[in-house]
Amino acid sequence: MNWRFAYSIGFHPWEDAAADPPFVAKAAELFAREETGRQPPFGSALDLGTGSGIWGIELAKRGWQVTGVDFVEKVLQRARVRVREAGVEMRLVHGDVTALQAAGVGHGFRLVLDTGTFHDLTRVQREAMGREVSAVAAPDASVLLLVWPERRRPLIRGASRSEVEVAFPGWTVTHVEPSHFRLPKLLERLLKPDEHWYRLRRA
């Protein structure tokens, strides 16, 4: 996908999902699972492809110390405004998810969140992203990936479970759960998102 073009025409389902109650409820359930048995602050979280910061801000509100990274500067500008309006602390970094160390995002992240970047990357980019996540994540980290299945469709490529596993060697998929995200009916028929959350832990 041309991410800059997608934002310019208003195509950003990874952000629109914030207005979809079933999706929001499921995301909150997944975040709560990562927080079980602990008290805030929960530790550092990395929001990959943060866009305008919606989900990173949500994690910050819950008590995570959040870094968001994106390579589209225009949406990072929007994220800065949203962070200020939300009254939370969230570090925003201009960088590529396939070169996290070079971007200077830091290390030791206990939670890594991706709400729709991985499934539109090429194989080489996915494997680079997996290596970079492995390099910056804490030993006890969890990764939450939101993935559309691989299917012939416009705009988004999609990915299979095996492609997730290949890109993240040394990690184990512990859960695959529906996100309950719903597009408007016309787009639902056209794009067939059927998206799922993948949770990974180090093997």
Side-chain angles (χ1 to χ4, degrees):
M1 181 188 294
N2 184 321
W3 300 99
R4 294 180 178 86
F5 176 70
Y7 275 107
S8 72
I9 65 173
F11 180 78
H12 34 61
W14 51 91
E15 296 189 1
D16 299 337
D20 185 22
F23 180 94
V24 172
K26 184 61 180 179
E29 175 190 321
L30 299 186
F31 297 159
R33 182 166 62 200
E34 303 306 324
E35 299 159 2
T36 299
R38 305 180 69 245
Q39 296 294 322
F42 297 114
S44 57
L46 180 62
D47 184 16
L48 300 173
T50 191
S52 61
I54 289 175
W55 299 106
I57 289 170
E58 181 60 28
L59 286 174
K61 288 179 178 178
R62 298 178 66 96
W64 292 86
Q65 297 161 315
V66 184
T67 296
V69 58
D70 206 293
F71 79 113
V72 181
E73 179 57 37
K74 185 175 181 179
V75 296
L76 284 175
Q77 293 172 9
R78 289 171 54 195
R80 294 184 187 104
V81 172
R82 282 188 165 166
V83 168
R84 286 196 300 270
E85 291 175 345
V88 298
E89 291 188 14
M90 177 177 169
R91 179 176 173 238
L92 294 166
V93 176
H94 184 263
D96 194 311
V97 299
T98 66
L100 296 172
Q101 296 174 95
V105 299
H107 293 83
F109 294 100
R110 290 197 66 252
L111 177 62
V112 179
L113 176 70
D114 171 24
T115 55
T117 301
F118 176 86
H119 63 189
D120 199 52
L121 301 177
T122 66
R123 178 186 60 81
V124 171
Q125 289 172 323
R126 289 171 181 171
E127 292 176 4
M129 175 177 156
R131 287 193 300 271
E132 291 292 305
V133 167
S134 295
V136 303
D140 61 346
S142 298
V143 175
L144 295 176
L145 293 178
L146 191 59
V147 179
W148 290 23
E150 189 174 27
R151 188 170 291 153
R152 183 172 294 180
R153 65 165 70 84
L155 298 175
I156 294 178
R157 181 179 287 114
S160 65
R161 175 170 180 157
S162 63
E163 288 171 321
V164 171
E165 292 171 335
V166 166
F168 287 87
W171 296 76
T172 298
V173 175
T174 65
H175 297 75
V176 181
E177 303 168 78
S179 75
H180 306 305
F181 175 57
R182 300 166 300 182
L183 285 168
K185 289 184 179 179
L186 180 59
L187 285 177
E188 188 79 29
R189 289 197 296 269
L190 177 65
L191 299 178
K192 298 182 176 65
D194 189 27
E195 65 178 13
H196 284 69
W197 284 105
Y198 283 72
R199 179 181 186 261
L200 295 86
R201 296 278 292 179
R202 289 195 189 271

